[in-house]
Amino acid sequence: LPLTLDLDRQRRCGFAEVIYGAGKPAELIAEIMRRQRQAGQDSLATRVTVETAKAVAEIIPEVRYNPDARCLLAGAAANKTPSPLDMSATRLVRHVAVVTAGSTDAPVCEEAIETLHWMGIPFRSFNDIGVAGPDRLLAAVPELRQAAAVIVIAGMEGALPAAVGGHLSVPVFAVPTSVGYGATLGGLTPLMGMLSCCSSNVAVVNIDAGFKAAYLSGLVVKS
Amino acid sequence: LPLTLDLDRQRRCGFAEVIYGAGKPAELIAEIMRRQRQAGQDSLATRVTVETAKAVAEIIPEVRYNPDARCLLAGAAANKTPSPLDMSATRLVRHVAVVTAGSTDAPVCEEAIETLHWMGIPFRSFNDIGVAGPDRLLAAVPELRQAAAVIVIAGMEGALPAAVGGHLSVPVFAVPTSVGYGATLGGLTPLMGMLSCCSSNVAVVNIDAGFKAAYLSGLVVKS
Amino acid sequence: LPLTLDLDRQRRCGFAEVIYGAGKPAELIAEIMRRQRQAGQDSLATRVTVETAKAVAEIIPEVRYNPDARCLLAGAAANKTPSPLDMSATRLVRHVAVVTAGSTDAPVCEEAIETLHWMGIPFRSFNDIGVAGPDRLLAAVPELRQAAAVIVIAGMEGALPAAVGGHLSVPVFAVPTSVGYGATLGGLTPLMGMLSCCSSNVAVVNIDAGFKAAYLSGLVVKS
Amino acid sequence: LPLTLDLDRQRRCGFAEVIYGAGKPAELIAEIMRRQRQAGQDSLATRVTVETAKAVAEIIPEVRYNPDARCLLAGAAANKTPSPLDMSATRLVRHVAVVTAGSTDAPVCEEAIETLHWMGIPFRSFNDIGVAGPDRLLAAVPELRQAAAVIVIAGMEGALPAAVGGHLSVPVFAVPTSVGYGATLGGLTPLMGMLSCCSSNVAVVNIDAGFKAAYLSGLVVKS
Amino acid sequence: LPLTLDLDRQRRCGFAEVIYGAGKPAELIAEIMRRQRQAGQDSLATRVTVETAKAVAEIIPEVRYNPDARCLLAGAAANKTPSPLDMSATRLVRHVAVVTAGSTDAPVCEEAIETLHWMGIPFRSFNDIGVAGPDRLLAAVPELRQAAAVIVIAGMEGALPAAVGGHLSVPVFAVPTSVGYGATLGGLTPLMGMLSCCSSNVAVVNIDAGFKAAYLSGLVVKS
Amino acid sequence: LPLTLDLDRQRRCGFAEVIYGAGKPAELIAEIMRRQRQAGQDSLATRVTVETAKAVAEIIPEVRYNPDARCLLAGAAANKTPSPLDMSATRLVRHVAVVTAGSTDAPVCEEAIETLHWMGIPFRSFNDIGVAGPDRLLAAVPELRQAAAVIVIAGMEGALPAAVGGHLSVPVFAVPTSVGYGATLGGLTPLMGMLSCCSSNVAVVNIDAGFKAAYLSGLVVKS
Amino acid sequence: LPLTLDLDRQRRCGFAEVIYGAGKPAELIAEIMRRQRQAGQDSLATRVTVETAKAVAEIIPEVRYNPDARCLLAGAAANKTPSPLDMSATRLVRHVAVVTAGSTDAPVCEEAIETLHWMGIPFRSFNDIGVAGPDRLLAAVPELRQAAAVIVIAGMEGALPAAVGGHLSVPVFAVPTSVGYGATLGGLTPLMGMLSCCSSNVAVVNIDAGFKAAYLSGLVVKS
Amino acid sequence: LPLTLDLDRQRRCGFAEVIYGAGKPAELIAEIMRRQRQAGQDSLATRVTVETAKAVAEIIPEVRYNPDARCLLAGAAANKTPSPLDMSATRLVRHVAVVTAGSTDAPVCEEAIETLHWMGIPFRSFNDIGVAGPDRLLAAVPELRQAAAVIVIAGMEGALPAAVGGHLSVPVFAVPTSVGYGATLGGLTPLMGMLSCCSSNVAVVNIDAGFKAAYLSGLVVKS
Ligand SMILES: Nc1ncnc2c1ncn2[C@@H]1O[C@H](COP(=O)(O)O)[C@@H](O)[C@H]1O
Ligand SMILES: Nc1ncnc2c1ncn2[C@@H]1O[C@H](COP(=O)(O)O)[C@@H](O)[C@H]1O
Ligand SMILES: Nc1ncnc2c1ncn2[C@@H]1O[C@H](COP(=O)(O)O)[C@@H](O)[C@H]1O
Ligand SMILES: Nc1ncnc2c1ncn2[C@@H]1O[C@H](COP(=O)(O)O)[C@@H](O)[C@H]1O
Ligand SMILES: [Mg+2]
Ligand SMILES: [Mg+2]
Ligand SMILES: [Mg+2]
Ligand SMILES: [Mg+2]
Ligand SMILES: [Mg+2]
Ligand SMILES: [Mg+2]
Ligand SMILES: [Mg+2]
Ligand SMILES: [Mg+2]
């Protein structure tokens, strides 16, 4: 197998190497997960198709697959599904807020949530509150202001991160999605828009990269 | 002179041919204005440099030049400068609202206002109310709702037309500007973003084309 | 469900939130339509595949699906199919003219017509009158001049809106289509061409966005 | 001098090597012209700046420079300026018709005319007859139908070649120009539009390449 | 049916309207062919899939389909397949030479040949003579010099038209193809290369547009 | 003046509105600074030319201008120049590390440092340690691991953020620069490369946007 | 068959014409292989699908197909599979080192290895040693320094060639791959990054072109 | 000074760090050259303007500047200007052949030659032998076949490397130049064309990067 695992990454970076599942055969993914388990590391594979996930599960039965997120997990995070932070107790728990502009952005949101779950970072989510219906964001602002970092997921023109950023004093990680057609250019338009964002606190990750925004905001929460 | 004037346009389209001033020698612009005057038509030339404007003024002294707007006018609209609609009288006058996201968008706004003035269309303007400071738009919404058409001028990520559109029941004409750097791609990013806009009532014109948005919203007011 | 409906949009904007059907599961579309009906609103979903439409119809049997337009409707507009304005009576009814350049542009035209129908706006249509056969447009001009707003749908080089605009004194909403190959770049070429249009009265919407052009011209008719 | 002249080209191709003047020092251009004269060939240099032209003229005084066309000529074509075909005699002379969409396209038109002149090909020109003023093209059609080949020069959306092509049974050579701003992308938009042209008889050359269109249509006339 | 046929085109342009088959339902194609036959015109439809061709053939049995060319023909050209010019007789017949760079360019070559056949223009073909094997072109040059116009079809870097053009005194119509991967950008790279061609006699048509190059060179032959 | 200041931003976001200096006349910048001072806010203007800076300084003499950074400051941060964190005392002070790949990236680095200085955030810098000389980064790693957030500034292929990210457990904010030529596409190449980065902890800001990376990493330090 | 084989290439270039398999029917590939065998040449066809490979094997049974590499071979290289250089004997054998950044780059690596095998060039391979796990490259450097030329295959941001190049005194041939999503633009991002590479010894080939990098490094080894 | 010199590069890579001169102040360049001399290394700075070169020469008088090449040298290579290999003696000296397509490509050729000179690599040059005049390349082929590596420099469509590669059995390093206009896209068109090249032995470097092609071919000669 053409493989040189970076098992030292957990020590250097705080978390194990995340497996980029696209284009990898099931045997390769299973082998990586096997070696990570041997090294005492929990595994997260992103962009895994249903077919591949099934094939891995035949080799390593204890994995958990989330088809919406296209994520395959092994170890602690595989044993329970993610659930949002219970806010009734106390609001002092540092956490990430995950925001989507439209309901079609859900898969990217799911990938972000599974990543936070794998990192052990508390989260809340606020869905479908894009700028065309402005009251929705305004209603969420007081709760968003409690988060230590915010992820904003949006396709089409990608206007939401600028609007969210203008209300907050924490880093906003913007995720452009490939939702839309024509002039959205498969997500390049919201990507470029978010990079041009007039709010000062907005950083950007790759198109549909829910994983990356979650990883970064998780690091901020742990900071 | 390599010229075939379309003097019939005023009859067909309601307004005379607008002169695209970029790259035209002063003699050519002066000759067009001379023939339009002969035909009883008021002239508007856009994208005219200071140097060209001066040279035209030496041939036709009664023109008026607005250097911020880069517009040169002859006829009725040349005799007085544009002024916004007086709202104290009555709010029933059909008019256009011109909105900018940032103070750097002013030149495009000026071009739009000179065009409306040349068309004889009443207007109001709302400047520097971009989404990063959300209270500014919210404060303007009640007044914006009085307009028959709205022009929104924005650079960088171009998020403002979507936000404005979500509050209104009239057509919004969005003008991307070349304000910004890097990922704004000289205005292509807000252009593509505005075309991908999730508000249903947003149409788009060319980058920095204040003239076009004004012309279209003027037609709506006359509708 | 990751949903925050904007049921207030009808009040603010005059029409309910239109459902962007691409990528949404049937359950989600059905749930939105159910809540809109509860709020007394008619539903329009665009870009719905045949499969999704069938699945929604199993949940909400009274919807109507137009496979050419890829539109799914609920409420008043679902009960009858669109039909063009009867011109025999009187020509004073304000209406929209919908023009296509080629017969391959028909699906985008259908989407525009279903949207106008949902809005309750009268319309007429003029098909396959692109510039390569110039007599076709000339023949239609007298009738086009009766409309309060005109939609022009064209792929390939997208020359038709400029030609139509030159004959009219009302706003023209240009829709580039993805018809063509190679240098048409999936519709980007007519899109950019229409934005660069030398006729003053042409605004542009996204590639294949028949819905948007219809919505905007419907607002002009209601103006 | 880093030079390997192709003096055999006149034999193979019918005309001498044309000198691409951009970026070439005056000494280099003068040296090429000197050697071409020795070989009995007339010289045409395109894209020559005023400064370079003056410096060449100091070395070779008998050159002629057309600053609008940015062309520098030596030999027969340098001794007289181009003039259009006299149509009063007889219409049977095979010739090229050169058409522009707007008066700003004049420099490209001039380059085309100087090239035809250098080739010894008769021509006529029709200026500023873009599609926004449709009567202008219709008026020219009967005369355009007399040409053996037609050059159409247009910037902005580049719609004119399609419109011209639809009236004719001869090859149309379309030249996109860099006239326009924003979405015209420095001429890429009319270039791509002309390549996507729905008229069957339209071939395309590079942006602002009046020289190339003239060369090709000259070959057709000689055919 | 959303159809406005341009039956007058044969009179104006010399040949009937060619049917752009992509995306058109079989019924629509059949109906156009039916009306063209009524008007005494031969039909050519390009970019027709096998499935559509079969469905048309069920309505109009006398059509001929060339699956490599993706062309469907009705009328005179449907009754026999194209065959190259017999050179044994005399070389004085004006004809088109069709050249390909690689054997993978064959489908575009076939489309060009069917178009010439439909126009009644004699042709010869020279296949797979790209610049990487230079003797192949050199061997063909004497025969290429007999043609009145030359079509050069090439993918990848599209170098062949420049090389061919340097040997000839007639117009060369270059057709970039979508053959290649990565940096060929689906044909945009040879397209842009051919437009930048340093040979003076090269005009360009759209990617894979064998039809257009054939039409233009056919007009030159008839000139 | 076309101005609607967002003086409430300091309350909402923790820091005052930063002035985008490009294209703003000196009077406008001076007026904004005057109002911010009235509101008790320190001012930072980015992308200010030397000429504009001088003109502002004539109106408000107490500003400080850093020509390398193109930054103009008023208030506390104007009174002293930035200096890096003194590491001799204790390494427990939370701070930002600013890294450049080449010495040509210095201006962007300066903008980042002035921004951190304006925010009151401690920083250290590591210059000219690009991947082509790998020992340079390895030598810096132990010190980089002490920072709470890291800014990596790089042009050309923009490989450094990936290399830095692989050594660290804190967020890395990558700034592509416009350093380079040809295939660097004015910074688009490192921008796209950084977004595609295979290290999990890398977020990206606009080309040359030292200000944004500093603002975000400053928020992390304050977290 | 539209075929003009360049059987002289082996004499001029040292190796036979490589068959570009994409889009070629099996009969065509088989015919080329048959003629090459007749001329005493070994065949290599790249980018051959499984289906085509099977069909060719039915005509020429002695071919060997490597599905990961998508390569089909005939002649000497078909009789045994490639195996890496045995380093135990002596390190003086000139050879190529093939490096990949990630395990997903394996197919391109396989194509390179089959090409080297066909050329008879010794090779070694180093897999999955991308910059995010820096120790992996450092561990390989001593062995990489023994190679006469190095191939580096990487997707996403394509940072590895710069890092490898900085350690070596031999030519590095960089192959960008289409591995990644969003901002990787199907491989254009690593392509442009590698071209912008700050290491002086990095040349670039087309996206996924393992064949080309192998061919070039094989020529260096033979140098 | 923001500087971390990589003085070890000569040991690792065989040659010292080359100074990228664009955007670097004269003091910085002089300081780097001073330190390189201290380390016993010869200096080469590329892309240095005349002004900067003069300012450096005031600090370090013994530098040599080649304004055509925009190169500034210190050390051995500064003491004499480059001169081509004397072929009368013996043809067995391994050397590089440098080829240009047009005389306008001279500056890039000069940069390549200065780099080879700095490396101490023998070279010959062949200028202005582009494909439009095919006899020129054919005449040079016998001499080109004597080189150990070949550099081909071409702008416009960049067809020459493919043509040269087809004649040779050594690596060809292709340099696209920014010569041309419109569709050449500042050199992107020949860049993409060269990457798509159908000759197997062509590797590519950045636009105008004469330095890189020289460095790589120098390494091959030393191989
Ligand atoms: N700023 C502008 N942007 C776009 N089009 C314009 C502008 N100014 C004038 N035009 C249009 O340009 C055309 C005139 O072009 P020309 O014949 O070159 O003067 C008219 O049809 C105008 O509608
Ligand atoms: N304006 C132009 N556009 C495109 N090609 C040109 C132009 N002028 C001259 N050429 C071509 O450039 C070649 C000469 O290039 P060079 O050797 O650099 O002078 C000739 O083959 C001409 O056909
Ligand atoms: N995978 C490949 N990538 C790029 N070029 C290739 C590839 N395989 C073969 N070729 C080249 O393609 C040419 C053959 O093209 P064709 O005549 O279409 O078979 C030969 O000159 C090869 O050098
Ligand atoms: N003309 C050039 N094109 C590309 N890279 C260059 C050029 N000149 C120098 N370099 C590289 O730039 C790096 C130096 O960058 P810097 O530290 O900014 O001087 C060295 O690694 C050189 O190999
Ligand atoms: Mg929604
Ligand atoms: Mg502002
Ligand atoms: Mg039609
Ligand atoms: Mg005009
Ligand atoms: Mg071949
Ligand atoms: Mg350096
Ligand atoms: Mg890996
Ligand atoms: Mg030349």
Side-chain angles (χ1 to χ4, degrees), chain E residues 102-104 128 181, chain G residues 9 17-20 24 46 211, chain H residues 198 200:
Chain E
S103 48
T104 320
D128 194 22
Y181 59 96
Chain G
R9 191 169 306 184
E17 196 176 356
V18 175
I19 304 160
Y20 178 63
K24 286 204 173 61
T46 63
F211 151 67
Chain H
C198 57
S200 305

Side-chain angles (χ1 to χ4, degrees), chain A residues 32-115:
Chain A
I32 299 173
M33 289 189 160
R34 202 186 55 74
R35 293 202 208 163
Q36 289 188 322
R37 186 173 46 190
Q38 269 183 336
Q41 299 180 359
D42 287 358
S43 295
L44 168 63
T46 63
R47 302 199 148 237
V48 180
T49 61
V50 187
E51 294 70 33
T52 302
K54 278 187 187 146
V56 176
E58 276 171 26
I59 309 176
I60 308 184
E62 57 274 25
V63 295
R64 179 171 61 82
Y65 181 63
N66 176 337
D68 292 330
R70 288 180 301 167
C71 285
L72 189 70
L73 298 111
N79 299 331
K80 61 177 187 319
T81 54
S83 67
L85 180 63
D86 179 359
M87 295 299 287
S88 63
T90 162
R91 67 169 157 269
L92 292 183
V93 176
R94 283 175 70 83
H95 68 276
V96 173
V98 188
V99 178
T100 64
S103 49
T104 319
D105 299 316
V108 180
C109 182
E110 287 287 308
E111 187 186 87
I113 285 174
E114 286 288 359
T115 302

Side-chain angles (χ1 to χ4, degrees), chain F residues 101-104 128-130 136, chain H residues 2-6 9 17-18 24 32:
Chain F
S103 48
T104 319
D128 194 21
I129 60 170
R136 302 180 294 189
Chain H
L3 206 60
T4 310
L5 269 188
D6 181 17
R9 192 169 306 183
E17 195 177 358
V18 174
K24 285 203 174 62
I32 299 173

Side-chain angles (χ1 to χ4, degrees), chain A residues 2-4 6 8-9 12 17 20 22-24 28 47 188 206-207 209, chain G residues 103-104 106 127-129 132-136 156 179-183 185:
Chain A
L3 206 59
T4 311
D6 181 18
D8 182 53
R9 190 168 307 182
R12 291 192 324 275
E17 197 176 355
Y20 177 63
K24 286 204 174 62
L28 192 56
R47 302 199 148 237
L188 280 176
N206 199 1
I207 298 166
Chain G
S103 48
T104 319
N127 286 303
D128 194 22
I129 60 169
D135 294 342
R136 303 180 293 190
M156 296 180 168
V179 166
Y181 59 96
L185 301 175

Side-chain angles (χ1 to χ4, degrees), chain B residues 118-153:
Chain B
W118 170 77
M119 297 174 84
I121 305 290
F123 69 91
R124 301 173 73 191
S125 68
F126 301 82
N127 286 303
D128 194 22
I129 60 169
V131 295
D135 294 343
R136 303 180 293 190
L137 169 57
L138 291 180
V141 163
E143 295 183 83
L144 290 173
R145 291 182 66 89
Q146 297 172 336
V150 176
I151 296 171
V152 183
I153 301 166

Side-chain angles (χ1 to χ4, degrees), chain A residues 123-137:
Chain A
F123 70 91
R124 301 174 72 191
S125 68
F126 302 81
N127 287 303
D128 194 22
I129 60 170
V131 296
D135 294 342
R136 302 180 293 189
L137 169 57

